[in-house]
Short mmCIF file of all heavy atoms in Angstrom, two decimals:
data_model
loop_
_atom_site.label_atom_id
_atom_site.label_comp_id
_atom_site.label_asym_id
_atom_site.label_seq_id
_atom_site.Cartn_x
_atom_site.Cartn_y
_atom_site.Cartn_z
N LEU A 1 75.18 -128.61 -170.75
CA LEU A 1 75.36 -127.91 -172.01
C LEU A 1 76.59 -127.02 -171.93
O LEU A 1 76.67 -126.11 -171.10
CB LEU A 1 74.13 -127.06 -172.33
CG LEU A 1 74.20 -126.23 -173.62
CD1 LEU A 1 74.36 -127.14 -174.84
CD2 LEU A 1 72.95 -125.35 -173.75
N SER A 2 77.56 -127.29 -172.78
CA SER A 2 78.78 -126.48 -172.83
C SER A 2 78.55 -125.26 -173.69
O SER A 2 77.80 -125.31 -174.68
CB SER A 2 79.94 -127.30 -173.38
OG SER A 2 81.11 -126.53 -173.48
N GLU A 3 79.22 -124.17 -173.33
CA GLU A 3 79.08 -122.94 -174.11
C GLU A 3 79.90 -123.00 -175.39
O GLU A 3 79.75 -122.17 -176.28
CB GLU A 3 79.50 -121.73 -173.27
CG GLU A 3 81.00 -121.51 -173.11
CD GLU A 3 81.68 -122.47 -172.15
OE1 GLU A 3 80.97 -123.29 -171.51
OE2 GLU A 3 82.92 -122.39 -172.02
N ARG A 4 80.79 -124.03 -175.52
CA ARG A 4 81.58 -124.19 -176.73
C ARG A 4 81.92 -125.66 -176.90
O ARG A 4 81.76 -126.46 -175.97
CB ARG A 4 82.88 -123.37 -176.65
CG ARG A 4 83.82 -123.78 -175.51
CD ARG A 4 85.05 -122.90 -175.46
NE ARG A 4 85.90 -123.19 -174.32
CZ ARG A 4 86.83 -124.15 -174.28
NH1 ARG A 4 86.99 -124.93 -175.34
NH2 ARG A 4 87.55 -124.33 -173.19
N ASN A 5 82.36 -126.00 -178.09
CA ASN A 5 82.73 -127.38 -178.39
C ASN A 5 84.12 -127.65 -177.82
O ASN A 5 85.12 -127.11 -178.28
CB ASN A 5 82.73 -127.61 -179.90
CG ASN A 5 82.87 -129.08 -180.25
OD1 ASN A 5 83.38 -129.87 -179.46
ND2 ASN A 5 82.43 -129.45 -181.43
N ARG A 6 84.18 -128.50 -176.80
CA ARG A 6 85.44 -128.85 -176.15
C ARG A 6 86.07 -130.10 -176.75
O ARG A 6 87.10 -130.56 -176.26
CB ARG A 6 85.22 -129.06 -174.65
CG ARG A 6 84.74 -127.81 -173.92
CD ARG A 6 84.46 -128.11 -172.45
NE ARG A 6 84.03 -126.93 -171.73
CZ ARG A 6 84.84 -126.05 -171.14
NH1 ARG A 6 86.15 -126.25 -171.19
NH2 ARG A 6 84.36 -125.01 -170.51
N GLY A 7 85.46 -130.66 -177.77
CA GLY A 7 85.97 -131.90 -178.34
C GLY A 7 85.58 -133.10 -177.50
O GLY A 7 85.05 -132.97 -176.39
N PHE A 8 85.84 -134.29 -178.04
CA PHE A 8 85.48 -135.51 -177.32
C PHE A 8 86.23 -135.62 -176.01
O PHE A 8 85.64 -135.89 -174.95
CB PHE A 8 85.76 -136.73 -178.21
CG PHE A 8 85.49 -138.03 -177.53
CD1 PHE A 8 84.19 -138.46 -177.31
CD2 PHE A 8 86.52 -138.85 -177.09
CE1 PHE A 8 83.92 -139.67 -176.67
CE2 PHE A 8 86.28 -140.05 -176.45
CZ PHE A 8 84.98 -140.46 -176.24
N ALA A 9 87.54 -135.39 -176.04
CA ALA A 9 88.33 -135.52 -174.82
C ALA A 9 87.88 -134.54 -173.75
O ALA A 9 87.69 -134.90 -172.59
CB ALA A 9 89.82 -135.30 -175.13
N GLY A 10 87.67 -133.28 -174.14
CA GLY A 10 87.23 -132.28 -173.17
C GLY A 10 85.88 -132.61 -172.58
O GLY A 10 85.64 -132.42 -171.38
N GLY A 11 84.97 -133.11 -173.43
CA GLY A 11 83.65 -133.48 -172.94
C GLY A 11 83.69 -134.63 -171.95
O GLY A 11 83.02 -134.61 -170.92
N VAL A 12 84.50 -135.66 -172.26
CA VAL A 12 84.64 -136.79 -171.35
C VAL A 12 85.25 -136.34 -170.03
O VAL A 12 84.80 -136.74 -168.94
CB VAL A 12 85.51 -137.90 -171.98
CG1 VAL A 12 85.88 -138.96 -170.94
CG2 VAL A 12 84.75 -138.56 -173.14
N ASN A 13 86.27 -135.50 -170.09
CA ASN A 13 86.93 -135.03 -168.87
C ASN A 13 85.95 -134.26 -167.98
O ASN A 13 85.93 -134.46 -166.75
CB ASN A 13 88.12 -134.15 -169.21
CG ASN A 13 89.25 -134.93 -169.87
OD1 ASN A 13 89.34 -136.14 -169.75
ND2 ASN A 13 90.10 -134.22 -170.59
N CYS A 14 85.16 -133.39 -168.57
CA CYS A 14 84.18 -132.63 -167.79
C CYS A 14 83.13 -133.56 -167.19
O CYS A 14 82.77 -133.42 -166.01
CB CYS A 14 83.51 -131.58 -168.67
SG CYS A 14 84.56 -130.18 -169.11
N ALA A 15 82.63 -134.50 -167.98
CA ALA A 15 81.61 -135.43 -167.49
C ALA A 15 82.16 -136.30 -166.37
O ALA A 15 81.46 -136.58 -165.38
CB ALA A 15 81.10 -136.30 -168.64
N ARG A 16 83.41 -136.74 -166.49
CA ARG A 16 84.00 -137.60 -165.46
C ARG A 16 84.05 -136.89 -164.12
O ARG A 16 83.79 -137.49 -163.07
CB ARG A 16 85.40 -138.06 -165.86
CG ARG A 16 86.08 -138.93 -164.81
CD ARG A 16 87.43 -139.43 -165.26
NE ARG A 16 88.42 -138.38 -165.40
CZ ARG A 16 89.12 -137.88 -164.38
NH1 ARG A 16 88.92 -138.31 -163.14
NH2 ARG A 16 90.02 -136.94 -164.61
N ARG A 17 84.38 -135.60 -164.13
CA ARG A 17 84.47 -134.85 -162.88
C ARG A 17 83.11 -134.69 -162.20
O ARG A 17 83.04 -134.41 -161.00
CB ARG A 17 85.10 -133.48 -163.14
CG ARG A 17 86.54 -133.59 -163.61
CD ARG A 17 87.20 -132.23 -163.73
NE ARG A 17 88.51 -132.39 -164.35
CZ ARG A 17 88.81 -132.04 -165.60
NH1 ARG A 17 87.87 -131.47 -166.34
NH2 ARG A 17 90.00 -132.24 -166.09
N GLU A 18 82.05 -134.87 -162.96
CA GLU A 18 80.70 -134.78 -162.39
C GLU A 18 80.15 -136.13 -161.96
O GLU A 18 79.05 -136.21 -161.43
CB GLU A 18 79.75 -134.17 -163.43
CG GLU A 18 80.02 -132.71 -163.74
CD GLU A 18 79.67 -131.82 -162.56
OE1 GLU A 18 78.48 -131.65 -162.27
OE2 GLU A 18 80.61 -131.32 -161.92
N SER A 19 80.90 -137.21 -162.20
CA SER A 19 80.41 -138.56 -161.96
C SER A 19 80.85 -139.09 -160.61
O SER A 19 81.80 -138.59 -160.00
CB SER A 19 80.91 -139.49 -163.07
OG SER A 19 82.32 -139.67 -162.97
N VAL A 20 80.16 -140.14 -160.15
CA VAL A 20 80.47 -140.73 -158.84
C VAL A 20 80.56 -142.26 -158.88
O VAL A 20 80.85 -142.88 -157.86
CB VAL A 20 79.41 -140.33 -157.79
CG1 VAL A 20 79.39 -138.82 -157.58
CG2 VAL A 20 78.02 -140.83 -158.17
N GLY A 21 80.33 -142.88 -160.03
CA GLY A 21 80.28 -144.34 -160.10
C GLY A 21 81.62 -145.02 -159.92
O GLY A 21 82.68 -144.43 -160.14
N ARG A 22 81.57 -146.30 -159.50
CA ARG A 22 82.80 -147.10 -159.35
C ARG A 22 83.45 -147.35 -160.71
O ARG A 22 84.67 -147.44 -160.82
CB ARG A 22 82.48 -148.44 -158.70
CG ARG A 22 81.98 -148.36 -157.27
CD ARG A 22 81.90 -149.74 -156.65
NE ARG A 22 80.99 -150.64 -157.38
CZ ARG A 22 81.37 -151.76 -157.98
NH1 ARG A 22 82.65 -152.13 -157.97
NH2 ARG A 22 80.49 -152.52 -158.60
N TYR A 23 82.62 -147.51 -161.71
CA TYR A 23 83.09 -147.71 -163.07
C TYR A 23 82.60 -146.57 -163.95
O TYR A 23 81.51 -146.00 -163.73
CB TYR A 23 82.57 -149.03 -163.64
CG TYR A 23 83.00 -150.25 -162.87
CD1 TYR A 23 82.06 -151.19 -162.43
CD2 TYR A 23 84.34 -150.49 -162.57
CE1 TYR A 23 82.44 -152.32 -161.72
CE2 TYR A 23 84.74 -151.61 -161.86
CZ TYR A 23 83.79 -152.52 -161.44
OH TYR A 23 84.19 -153.63 -160.72
N LEU A 24 83.40 -146.24 -164.96
CA LEU A 24 83.04 -145.21 -165.93
C LEU A 24 82.86 -145.87 -167.29
O LEU A 24 83.76 -146.55 -167.78
CB LEU A 24 84.15 -144.16 -166.02
CG LEU A 24 84.59 -143.51 -164.71
CD1 LEU A 24 85.79 -142.60 -164.95
CD2 LEU A 24 83.45 -142.73 -164.07
N LEU A 25 81.70 -145.67 -167.89
CA LEU A 25 81.44 -146.21 -169.22
C LEU A 25 81.44 -145.07 -170.22
O LEU A 25 80.52 -144.25 -170.24
CB LEU A 25 80.10 -146.96 -169.26
CG LEU A 25 79.67 -147.46 -170.66
CD1 LEU A 25 80.67 -148.50 -171.18
CD2 LEU A 25 78.26 -148.05 -170.62
N LEU A 26 82.48 -145.01 -171.04
CA LEU A 26 82.49 -144.07 -172.14
C LEU A 26 81.63 -144.65 -173.25
O LEU A 26 81.85 -145.80 -173.67
CB LEU A 26 83.92 -143.84 -172.65
CG LEU A 26 84.80 -142.84 -171.91
CD1 LEU A 26 84.94 -143.18 -170.44
CD2 LEU A 26 86.17 -142.76 -172.57
N LEU A 27 80.66 -143.87 -173.70
CA LEU A 27 79.70 -144.39 -174.68
C LEU A 27 79.38 -143.33 -175.71
O LEU A 27 78.97 -142.22 -175.36
CB LEU A 27 78.42 -144.86 -173.97
CG LEU A 27 77.38 -145.55 -174.83
CD1 LEU A 27 77.91 -146.90 -175.35
CD2 LEU A 27 76.08 -145.77 -174.05
N ASN A 28 79.55 -143.68 -176.98
CA ASN A 28 79.16 -142.77 -178.05
C ASN A 28 77.64 -142.70 -178.17
O ASN A 28 76.96 -143.70 -177.96
CB ASN A 28 79.76 -143.22 -179.38
CG ASN A 28 81.19 -142.79 -179.57
OD1 ASN A 28 81.83 -142.30 -178.64
ND2 ASN A 28 81.71 -142.97 -180.77
N PRO A 29 77.11 -141.54 -178.56
CA PRO A 29 75.66 -141.43 -178.69
C PRO A 29 75.08 -142.24 -179.83
O PRO A 29 73.87 -142.45 -179.88
CB PRO A 29 75.45 -139.93 -178.93
CG PRO A 29 76.75 -139.44 -179.46
CD PRO A 29 77.80 -140.26 -178.79
N ASP A 30 75.93 -142.72 -180.75
CA ASP A 30 75.43 -143.55 -181.85
C ASP A 30 75.58 -145.04 -181.55
O ASP A 30 75.55 -145.87 -182.45
CB ASP A 30 76.14 -143.20 -183.16
CG ASP A 30 77.65 -143.29 -183.07
OD1 ASP A 30 78.17 -143.67 -182.00
OD2 ASP A 30 78.33 -142.98 -184.07
N CYS A 31 75.73 -145.38 -180.26
CA CYS A 31 75.78 -146.78 -179.82
C CYS A 31 74.50 -147.15 -179.10
O CYS A 31 73.99 -146.39 -178.28
CB CYS A 31 76.96 -147.02 -178.88
SG CYS A 31 78.57 -147.07 -179.68
N GLU A 32 73.98 -148.34 -179.37
CA GLU A 32 72.85 -148.91 -178.63
C GLU A 32 73.32 -150.25 -178.06
O GLU A 32 73.54 -151.21 -178.81
CB GLU A 32 71.64 -149.13 -179.53
CG GLU A 32 71.01 -147.85 -180.06
CD GLU A 32 69.85 -148.13 -180.99
OE1 GLU A 32 69.08 -149.08 -180.70
OE2 GLU A 32 69.74 -147.43 -182.01
N LEU A 33 73.48 -150.30 -176.75
CA LEU A 33 73.97 -151.52 -176.12
C LEU A 33 72.84 -152.53 -175.95
O LEU A 33 71.71 -152.17 -175.63
CB LEU A 33 74.60 -151.19 -174.78
CG LEU A 33 75.86 -150.33 -174.84
CD1 LEU A 33 76.37 -150.06 -173.43
CD2 LEU A 33 76.94 -150.99 -175.69
N ASP A 34 73.18 -153.80 -176.11
CA ASP A 34 72.20 -154.87 -175.98
C ASP A 34 71.86 -155.11 -174.51
O ASP A 34 72.60 -154.72 -173.60
CB ASP A 34 72.74 -156.15 -176.60
CG ASP A 34 72.94 -156.03 -178.10
OD1 ASP A 34 72.26 -155.20 -178.73
OD2 ASP A 34 73.79 -156.77 -178.64
N ALA A 35 70.75 -155.78 -174.29
CA ALA A 35 70.27 -156.06 -172.93
C ALA A 35 71.35 -156.79 -172.13
O ALA A 35 71.97 -157.74 -172.60
CB ALA A 35 69.01 -156.91 -172.99
N GLY A 36 71.59 -156.29 -170.92
CA GLY A 36 72.53 -156.92 -170.00
C GLY A 36 73.99 -156.61 -170.25
O GLY A 36 74.87 -157.08 -169.51
N SER A 37 74.30 -155.79 -171.26
CA SER A 37 75.70 -155.58 -171.63
C SER A 37 76.46 -154.78 -170.58
O SER A 37 77.62 -155.09 -170.27
CB SER A 37 75.78 -154.87 -172.99
OG SER A 37 75.37 -155.74 -174.01
N ILE A 38 75.85 -153.75 -170.02
CA ILE A 38 76.54 -152.98 -168.97
C ILE A 38 76.74 -153.85 -167.74
O ILE A 38 77.82 -153.83 -167.13
CB ILE A 38 75.73 -151.71 -168.63
CG1 ILE A 38 75.74 -150.76 -169.83
CG2 ILE A 38 76.28 -151.02 -167.38
CD1 ILE A 38 74.87 -149.53 -169.64
N GLU A 39 75.74 -154.64 -167.40
CA GLU A 39 75.87 -155.56 -166.26
C GLU A 39 76.99 -156.57 -166.50
O GLU A 39 77.77 -156.88 -165.59
CB GLU A 39 74.55 -156.27 -166.01
CG GLU A 39 74.56 -157.14 -164.77
CD GLU A 39 73.17 -157.54 -164.33
OE1 GLU A 39 72.28 -157.64 -165.18
OE2 GLU A 39 72.99 -157.75 -163.11
N SER A 40 77.11 -157.07 -167.73
CA SER A 40 78.15 -158.05 -168.04
C SER A 40 79.54 -157.44 -167.90
O SER A 40 80.46 -158.08 -167.34
CB SER A 40 77.97 -158.58 -169.47
OG SER A 40 76.81 -159.37 -169.57
N LEU A 41 79.72 -156.23 -168.38
CA LEU A 41 81.03 -155.58 -168.27
C LEU A 41 81.40 -155.33 -166.81
O LEU A 41 82.53 -155.59 -166.38
CB LEU A 41 81.03 -154.26 -169.04
CG LEU A 41 80.93 -154.35 -170.56
CD1 LEU A 41 80.80 -152.95 -171.16
CD2 LEU A 41 82.14 -155.07 -171.16
N ALA A 42 80.43 -154.83 -166.04
CA ALA A 42 80.69 -154.56 -164.62
C ALA A 42 80.98 -155.85 -163.86
O ALA A 42 81.88 -155.90 -163.01
CB ALA A 42 79.50 -153.83 -164.01
N ALA A 43 80.24 -156.91 -164.17
CA ALA A 43 80.46 -158.20 -163.50
C ALA A 43 81.85 -158.74 -163.83
O ALA A 43 82.53 -159.31 -162.97
CB ALA A 43 79.38 -159.19 -163.92
N TYR A 44 82.29 -158.57 -165.07
CA TYR A 44 83.61 -159.04 -165.45
C TYR A 44 84.70 -158.30 -164.67
O TYR A 44 85.65 -158.91 -164.16
CB TYR A 44 83.83 -158.87 -166.96
CG TYR A 44 85.14 -159.44 -167.42
CD1 TYR A 44 85.26 -160.81 -167.69
CD2 TYR A 44 86.26 -158.64 -167.58
CE1 TYR A 44 86.47 -161.35 -168.09
CE2 TYR A 44 87.48 -159.17 -167.98
CZ TYR A 44 87.58 -160.53 -168.24
OH TYR A 44 88.78 -161.06 -168.62
N LEU A 45 84.56 -156.97 -164.58
CA LEU A 45 85.55 -156.21 -163.83
C LEU A 45 85.50 -156.53 -162.33
O LEU A 45 86.54 -156.50 -161.66
CB LEU A 45 85.34 -154.71 -164.07
CG LEU A 45 85.65 -154.22 -165.49
CD1 LEU A 45 85.36 -152.73 -165.62
CD2 LEU A 45 87.10 -154.51 -165.87
N ASP A 46 84.29 -156.84 -161.82
CA ASP A 46 84.19 -157.26 -160.42
C ASP A 46 85.00 -158.53 -160.16
O ASP A 46 85.66 -158.67 -159.13
CB ASP A 46 82.72 -157.51 -160.05
CG ASP A 46 81.93 -156.23 -159.84
OD1 ASP A 46 82.55 -155.16 -159.71
OD2 ASP A 46 80.68 -156.31 -159.82
#
């Protein structure tokens, strides 16, 4: 929880610094991904 609105870019930047994954998935909260979609993207990049 941020104490102020940092905008989309600021929020992504802060979240990225807290992450550890090989891949980063930027995802809007109004998106619902279909079954297997994250796996498909990661497999393609692999």
Side-chain angles (χ1 to χ4, degrees):
L1 178 61
S2 178
E3 78 285 356
R4 62 182 175 84
N5 190 337
R6 297 176 179 272
F8 177 74
V12 169
N13 292 339
C14 288
R16 179 177 67 82
R17 295 186 188 106
E18 292 291 289
S19 69
V20 298
R22 295 189 300 117
Y23 300 128
L24 306 174
L25 175 63
L26 277 57
L27 186 66
N28 278 10
D30 55 2
C31 285
E32 294 178 39
L33 295 179
D34 295 334
S37 290
I38 293 175
E39 186 165 29
S40 292
L41 292 174
Y44 185 82
L45 291 178
D46 284 345

